[in-house]
Amino acid sequence: MWIYFIKFQLNNYEFACIFTHFLYGFVVLKEVQSATVIAEITIANAKSINATAEIAIAIAKSINASAEIAIAIAEITNANAKSINTTAEITNAIAKSIIAIAKSINAIAKITL
């Protein structure tokens, strides 16, 4: 998880250096015969770092997908709210029409009496 955080703190070149430094260390340590075990440990460590980075990337993709779903839900909710508002406006207009008709009927009733 820390690699995911670091990636956003470093530029691409600096981030690439993190993942290539172990290769240079392996080459240097391999030249020294007594350091073969250390060189192999260095490669194992690099593989572990790479796996951690792949997990972090998968998590980031998952977070991105979740964010896209949340945005879609928000847009649907907004559309529903607009629809409800429109329905309320239509209902209000109908109610005003009914009141106007009732007033007209009342006025006609007064004239005929």
Side-chain angles (χ1 to χ4, degrees):
M1 204 59 171
W2 59 272
I3 293 191
Y4 176 75
F5 176 76
I6 289 174
K7 183 170 186 206
F8 294 102
Q9 300 295 318
L10 304 175
N11 65 38
N12 289 337
Y13 174 76
E14 293 166 331
F15 188 70
C17 287
I18 290 174
F19 290 101
T20 57
H21 80 278
F22 69 89
L23 291 174
Y24 300 117
F26 178 80
V27 170
V28 169
L29 293 173
K30 191 99 173 156
E31 296 299 318
V32 181
Q33 290 180 354
S34 63
T36 302
V37 173
I38 296 172
E40 289 172 2
I41 291 171
T42 303
I43 287 295
N45 179 47
K47 289 178 181 176
S48 172
I49 289 172
N50 188 44
T52 302
E54 289 173 3
I55 291 169
I57 289 168
I59 290 170
K61 287 179 180 177
S62 173
I63 290 170
N64 186 45
S66 296
E68 289 174 1
I69 291 169
I71 289 168
I73 290 170
E75 289 173 351
I76 291 168
T77 303
N78 188 35
N80 285 341
K82 287 179 180 177
S83 174
I84 290 168
N85 186 43
T86 301
T87 303
E89 289 172 356
I90 291 170
T91 304
N92 189 32
I94 291 171
K96 287 180 180 179
S97 296
I98 291 170
I99 291 170
I101 292 169
K103 287 179 180 179
S104 296
I105 292 171
N106 190 26
I108 292 170
K110 286 181 181 178
I111 292 172
T112 40
L113 292 175

